[in-house]
Amino acid sequence: MGGKSDIRLIDENGIRIDGRRRDEMRPVRIEAGVLKRADGSAYLEWGDNKVIAAVYGPREVHPKHLQETNRAIVQYYYAMAPFSVDDRKRPGPDRRSTEISKISAEALENVIFVEQFPRTTIDVYVTVLQASAGTRCAALTAASVAVADAGIPMRDLVAACAAGKVEDQVVLDLVKEEDNFGQADMPIAIVPKTGEIVLMQMDGHMTLDEIDEAMDMAIKACYDIYEIQKEALWKKYERLAEEEVV
Amino acid sequence: MGGKSDIRLIDENGIRIDGRRRDEMRPVRIEAGVLKRADGSAYLEWGDNKVIAAVYGPREVHPKHLQETNRAIVQYYYAMAPFSVDDRKRPGPDRRSTEISKISAEALENVIFVEQFPRTTIDVYVTVLQASAGTRCAALTAASVAVADAGIPMRDLVAACAAGKVEDQVVLDLVKEEDNFGQADMPIAIVPKTGEIVLMQMDGHMTLDEIDEAMDMAIKACYDIYEIQKEALWKKYERLAEEEVV
Amino acid sequence: MGGKSDIRLIDENGIRIDGRRRDEMRPVRIEAGVLKRADGSAYLEWGDNKVIAAVYGPREVHPKHLQETNRAIVQYYYAMAPFSVDDRKRPGPDRRSTEISKISAEALENVIFVEQFPRTTIDVYVTVLQASAGTRCAALTAASVAVADAGIPMRDLVAACAAGKVEDQVVLDLVKEEDNFGQADMPIAIVPKTGEIVLMQMDGHMTLDEIDEAMDMAIKACYDIYEIQKEALWKKYERLAEEEVV
Amino acid sequence: MRREIVSRLRKEYIASILAKGERMDGRRLDESRSINIQFNVTGSAEGSARVQIGKTDVIVGVKMGVGTPYPDSPESGVLSTNAELSPIAAPNFETGPPREDAIELARVTDRAIRESGAVDFDSLCITPGEEVWMLFIDIQPVDYDGNLFDAAEIGALAALMSAKIPYSRMEEGAEDKPLPVRCFPVSITAAKIGDSIVFDPNLDEEHLADARLTVGVDENGAVRAMQKGLSGGFTREEVGKIIRTAGVLGDERRRLLFEAAEEAGVPVPR
Amino acid sequence: MRREIVSRLRKEYIASILAKGERMDGRRLDESRSINIQFNVTGSAEGSARVQIGKTDVIVGVKMGVGTPYPDSPESGVLSTNAELSPIAAPNFETGPPREDAIELARVTDRAIRESGAVDFDSLCITPGEEVWMLFIDIQPVDYDGNLFDAAEIGALAALMSAKIPYSRMEEGAEDKPLPVRCFPVSITAAKIGDSIVFDPNLDEEHLADARLTVGVDENGAVRAMQKGLSGGFTREEVGKIIRTAGVLGDERRRLLFEAAEEAGVPVPR
Amino acid sequence: MRREIVSRLRKEYIASILAKGERMDGRRLDESRSINIQFNVTGSAEGSARVQIGKTDVIVGVKMGVGTPYPDSPESGVLSTNAELSPIAAPNFETGPPREDAIELARVTDRAIRESGAVDFDSLCITPGEEVWMLFIDIQPVDYDGNLFDAAEIGALAALMSAKIPYSRMEEGAEDKPLPVRCFPVSITAAKIGDSIVFDPNLDEEHLADARLTVGVDENGAVRAMQKGLSGGFTREEVGKIIRTAGVLGDERRRLLFEAAEEAGVPVPR
């Protein structure tokens, strides 16, 4: 946020640098059940973002002192592959990924029936293979599908999308250049069935009216994401059914 | 020790750079019971040193293999706040603080009735908020009050003070410039009731006679410190008594 | 491997830079039982390599989750003393020593009757005090003697030696300059009684015929090493016997 | 087991009085605890402050040093914010490298300062591409009774306001100059307990909270930062109300900050 | 306990059919699983590839940047190879710093590339002694069904073949050029189970294996790297046979690599 | 339990004979074990020594390299002292980063050398503010039978005495020169067991010791360093006596050091 640029990010016709309208999301494609070894998995492409998610659990907690006697814990590991960004990222968690992992775990905990699995852990690993802004929303969206793919009881999925502000206009789903040179970014995740907001961050500068507009835009997009998530799971179940028939 | 300086550290009247005489200690102020969450605590100002100490325990030991079956262990964590020195100190323990923590824990163990609390730990955390030479003595002096404030059974307090050598003269309680450009520093801690020396270090250059003089000077100062420690605890008990009356 | 050099590493008479013939090993000297505290130990000089090995076990495993219910684990710690090489080596394991430790542990496991000591660990520590190429073979050779010296039941020793390629000729037991500027290095360890190869690495460039020649050469040398190992243990037992008589 | 029952009862009780609009410590739901701000509490820092919100007590120090700028912003000073959750402040805090709680606290504080443009980083350039001022904000809670986010953020802002750029360290005879602060974002934290929203939650309330939202608002009423925490959710409407209340509470807290600064002789805008 | 008996029975059964020259998945003992190689799978890398050998699935990315050469080779580019055994690929993999398995995988892959001279490091010099290209090979398994060594190595080779040196990043208007690859070492891994040697072991076979040998062979039939693993031993003769079979399998796999490259428009020698 | 009783009995017995002025190994209370000092034990170091005090066995290596001086002492070489308590030396030593015991050992040794001015760091300047010699002292105990402090310190001193500044590595044809050592501090350690003070405690005695005091004395009888350890206390008088006895024992040990040096052809003052 807040960098300077001579680039016009939105032209006189309201068209953004990658050809989208203000309230248009990048294309999103999700595939569920892509891995053999993981209990659940998903692969997601969101514009130029590429993300893979794997889920294990409920399984034993190590070390033991992390156990909760009355519920499962949710551990979320957001990581960027070293080759996912222009300047190679050193492997291992940094402060940014630690924070993203924390708030994403909290969001997922909301929809998982953790009380059903005391003393266990549900481990969610998401790796960004290619990054172009919005990776925390892409990761959480994929992770949610992977948890469902693992057959872990959930009351709903979590769907995520960001809105923000670029050249004094509220826009949906910022792309890399907009993220670098825009005025605000606000990732949101919701539980679609209830509309509850389970993840929300914002930095930059927005008036109250802009916040309202951005929230409306992002929440609407989350419902579109939700449809894509459900479709991915649907396709996976169809595939399984076919295999069983065969 | 051993740095070079053009500064005169002691003038022709025997007055030191901060106006003190050779055997004069900087002003020391201690307040006990300053924190809500800690079991015991103390805040100390010693010249330009500012130190805060918190104590927990006796409490469970983690990891378990550190437990001693016949006594409590004493764990001491000396730390410097990043902003406590001229060049910002990176957070986390370094080799110096590890050594100080070790010898300070040993000194405190001397006065705590550790046999009364087998398999437990008494954890002492001391953070230097502002540093100007003599922080290990300041920290141990504050820690000792915080242990007492926690109500942990002790046979006595530990009182600490350094003496050293500057411009070929033995002096008490070196200030930063004297520490940097002086010839020797010798921190000492005693158990006042018995006079036993429980912490002692020295580096630089001192003859046997100078060592004797410095020991006498430092031990005498420890008894002054002891009075200030007891007064701080006294005031805390008075405060408690008043609160109870109200 | 693969560096460039103007140095002739083998002269027209087939004599190498340190005066050896192609198939000649550097002098090797081993002493068993050199340490008081270790359960077993050995000191080895192999050309300019100096290595010390200590063994403990079978003993309890920490942390417990490393335990194997049906056998002892073998933990091998290869280390280079900071002063063992031209440019001071930073203490602590690096990637190279981790890899060497892994394959050396696997080789030793082959000959130790690990099934006899379930839930325990056999810990092997080897430190290179002076290094001149071939340290992994020297370390494993010494470690094997130290394990035997600890009285741990073994079906045989492990003997190690490297062969390689220098100036298009297969040579035995490369010295530092040959390692730096040669064309291939291939460390091998065998179980002499059966001839099985339990450690084998190679990098560089060798034809199939060269590999065959190098393997023959290295294996033959391993049998020479084996004699030196047995002699070292023999001397140790003699020493013990004498002490008992006295 | 018994402890769990007790704590469940306690939770039910607190929720029930919250439903009536009351809090255990007598505050209104949208009322902050009393706040106390001291400036220049440690002479070794370029700037420092101690903030007490109720019994929560945080010391923040600002250190400055000369360093190299990032290649992609060669004319900007560098900000680094760190929080140390030392066991001094609470029995469950642990020594060792910062964990996710400390990292979140530091990053949320960092963003509130950085993204609001509170500091003009371009004014911290010494030689473009070579030397710039590094600005370290170190957050050291000493007593934790809930709502570290707000205490850390106002502490960071106060420490920056009191900071002096140490030019005298670079050049003999040069004079230290106040670090210019040009925006005053204030973080206000709300917690959701059952169906109630409370502001400036204390420790008891944090233990019961289902969800948390921290909102950074500036003196013009604009939002500069937000961070939701915990696994509970907020409705769209709850978020809207929290943001609006944060604006009011932020103005009040900013006024207290300016009053304390004036009293301490620390420069204040206007 | 019961699980142990089952697994012992399973081991005996597999060993018995291996003794007859058969494998559980119908392959011949010296037959690789089907292999699938994709190039340029991630746009943020200078070069990348995804390799599937059976169900084993590895992504390899090549990143390049400008750095300082080592003092003892001032005119050579610098290679750094890293493997991340993320739990994404297998339930028993763990987060945290690389352990011995990841380190061995990275180092064996690194040596196969480095010692074969696959890359001309002297061509990666920009200014002798000052600036050279750093070449990072990052190996990211995403599904582990045995034989990571072979998948990682062929993936690294493919990623290098598809890599472009990013001159455009150094100088406006400059053109990126393909990274020249001049040797094509292929790693072939064999496992010993009982008295049988199987090639390209899958996960089940790896669990049963007593010993493992990875052989890197180049297009001229020369051996460029070897690595033995596990506590079992090989006889002198077994090693000889494995090396010779590796030559044959290596030629086959190299042919598949070149075919895939050609299809993807990646330059291939000849 | 039974082991504890045995060890208590043992402790009582040893204390009782100590009270009579006797030690288990027949030494007088103020008598060192026999000491053996070898020089240049490893050719890869610039200087090295092996010191055996009784069964305690320590190798010390000195490495030198070119590095950057500290900004606050631009004309001084840099000393770094490190001790590795490898399990080779004792079953309870652990691998991993140095713990408090290793750190204390290294720092006490470092101070004895540094604060005594044993090495003229100004003579290690190559180009003021840019290049100086870095001096690394690495302490590697290989057998631990008590009193590592004394063995490490005399080993460090011996290694320094045998060290050659490797000028030949900087400039072709230049000659290496001995590192000048100009002060010879010797550390003497005493332990308090019950009411007795023993010098050069062996492992058994260390296990029983209540308090420990290490005193570094130079050839002029001045004290250069002290370090008290363990939780027991010393009286004012005990400290005085230990310091004085340390002077006598230090002279004796320094004489043995010089004798060994002379025999080994290592330059000795006088």
Side-chain angles (χ1 to χ4, degrees), chain B residues 87-107:
Chain B
D87 292 325
R88 176 177 184 266
K89 201 208 150 283
R90 287 185 52 162
D94 54 16
R95 294 162 64 99
R96 176 179 167 272
S97 65
T98 301
E99 184 193 358
I100 292 175
S101 294
K102 178 177 192 290
I103 58 173
S104 302
E106 290 170 342

Side-chain angles (χ1 to χ4, degrees), chain A residues 71-74 104-115, chain D residues 231:
Chain A
R71 60 178 187 87
I73 60 171
V74 175
S104 303
E106 289 170 342
L108 275 181
E109 241 184 87
N110 188 287
V111 293
I112 298 173
F113 286 110
V114 289
E115 326 70 47
Chain D
S231 65

Side-chain angles (χ1 to χ4, degrees), chain A residues 51-63:
Chain A
V51 165
I52 192 156
V55 170
Y56 297 92
R59 62 178 181 181
E60 243 184 290
V61 184
H62 291 293

Side-chain angles (χ1 to χ4, degrees), chain B:
Chain B
M1 289 301 112
K4 293 145 207 164
S5 166
D6 303 329
I7 314 167
R8 277 294 308 268
L9 294 170
I10 305 184
D11 75 9
E12 55 284 1
N13 303 316
I15 299 303
R16 292 153 70 182
I17 198 160
D18 59 354
R20 285 183 291 151
R21 294 183 313 275
R22 282 210 301 131
D23 61 350
E24 194 179 348
M25 205 167 60
R26 290 174 284 181
V28 175
R29 193 176 73 77
I30 310 178
E31 192 176 348
V34 295
L35 300 178
K36 179 189 176 182
R37 301 293 304 280
D39 294 338
S41 60
Y43 175 76
L44 172 148
E45 291 187 1
W46 180 318
D48 283 339
N49 291 310
K50 296 181 183 178
V51 164
I52 192 157
V55 168
Y56 296 91
R59 62 180 183 179
E60 244 184 288
V61 184
H62 292 291
K64 287 225 163 145
H65 67 85
L66 296 177
Q67 274 185 7
E68 296 284 346
T69 53
N70 53 348
R71 61 177 184 89
I73 60 171
V74 176
Q75 300 191 92
Y76 189 104
Y77 301 87
Y78 168 97
M80 302 193 81
F83 46 76
S84 65
V85 280
D86 280 348
D87 292 325
R88 176 177 184 266
K89 201 208 150 283
R90 287 185 52 162
D94 54 16
R95 294 162 64 99
R96 176 179 167 272
S97 65
T98 301
E99 184 193 358
I100 292 175
S101 294
K102 178 177 192 290
I103 58 173
S104 302
E106 290 170 342
L108 274 182
E109 242 183 88
N110 189 287
V111 293
I112 297 174
F113 286 109
V114 289
E115 326 71 46
Q116 297 186 7
F117 307 98
R119 297 184 189 280
T120 68
T121 179
I122 290 160
D123 291 329
V124 182
Y125 304 94
V126 195
T127 292
V128 177
L129 299 170
Q130 184 173 325
S132 176
T135 59
R136 75 192 65 190
C137 290
L140 182 53
T141 295
S144 174
V145 171
V147 173
D149 180 50
I152 294 168
M154 301 167 83
R155 61 182 181 98
D156 197 4
L157 298 172
V158 167
C161 189
K165 182 172 156 190
V166 170
E167 297 192 354
D168 291 324
Q169 300 180 49
V170 172
V171 299
L172 184 66
D173 183 25
L174 281 65
V175 77
K176 193 158 65 176
E177 294 78 4
E178 294 171 332
D179 192 32
N180 290 344
F181 303 114
Q183 294 155 294
D185 188 25
M186 184 173 77
I188 281 183
I190 67 164
V191 178
K193 278 191 199 159
T194 62
E196 282 169 290
I197 295 167
V198 287
L199 180 146
M200 182 169 197
Q201 293 186 297
M202 181 268 180
D203 57 58
H205 179 290
M206 288 210 264
T207 64
L208 297 185
D209 290 346
E210 287 164 348
I211 294 261
D212 280 336
E213 187 184 353
M215 277 173 72
D216 289 338
M217 217 181 244
I219 289 171
K220 189 172 164 300
C222 286
Y223 282 100
D224 295 337
I225 290 289
Y226 188 42
E227 293 307 314
I228 301 170
Q229 290 176 307
K230 286 190 293 186
E231 199 189 305
L233 287 163
W234 192 255
K235 275 197 188 148
K236 162 76 188 301
Y237 300 142
E238 278 182 344
R239 225 161 55 216
L240 278 180
E242 275 168 35
E243 283 171 20
E244 250 164 60
V245 169
V246 178

Side-chain angles (χ1 to χ4, degrees), chain A residues 36-37 50 56 86 88 130, chain E residues 41 43 63 87 138 143-144:
Chain A
K36 180 189 175 182
R37 299 294 305 280
K50 295 180 183 178
Y56 297 92
D86 280 348
R88 176 178 183 267
Q130 185 173 323
Chain E
V41 294
K63 287 295 303 175
D138 282 286
D143 223 351
Y144 168 48

Side-chain angles (χ1 to χ4, degrees), chain E residues 4 13 15 25 35 59 67 80 84 88 94 111 119 124 130 146 164 171 187 206 217 219 227 232 241 243 248 251 260:
Chain E
E4 264 174 47
Y13 173 70
D25 58 6
I35 188 166
I59 295 173
S80 168
E84 178 102 17
I88 283 188
E94 290 176 45
R111 284 200 294 267
V119 175
L124 296 182
E130 289 180 21
K164 289 197 161 50
E171 201 186 332
S187 287
E206 279 194 1
V217 286
E219 58 269 43
Q227 180 88 347
K241 276 189 206 157
I243 293 175
V248 178
D251 285 342

Side-chain angles (χ1 to χ4, degrees), chain E residues 101-177:
Chain E
D101 282 335
I103 288 171
E104 188 184 22
L105 176 61
R107 285 180 58 85
V108 168
T109 306
D110 185 278
R111 284 200 294 267
I113 300 295
R114 183 190 303 269
E115 302 293 344
S116 65
V119 175
D120 177 10
F121 288 107
D122 290 351
S123 77
L124 296 182
C125 181
I126 301 170
T127 313
E130 289 180 21
E131 284 191 330
V132 298
W133 286 107
M134 317 283 289
L135 195 58
F136 295 94
I137 299 177
D138 282 286
I139 301 162
Q140 180 100 39
V142 294
D143 223 351
Y144 168 48
D145 192 30
N147 199 8
L148 283 181
F149 283 97
D150 288 10
E153 197 273 339
I154 198 84
L157 197 54
L160 288 171
M161 287 169 70
S162 74
K164 289 197 161 50
I165 312 178
Y167 287 108
S168 60
R169 235 197 276 153
M170 289 186 64
E171 201 186 332
E172 194 103 359
E175 217 172 316
D176 297 348
K177 283 187 211 157

Side-chain angles (χ1 to χ4, degrees), chain E residues 38 246 267:
Chain E
Q38 285 170 265

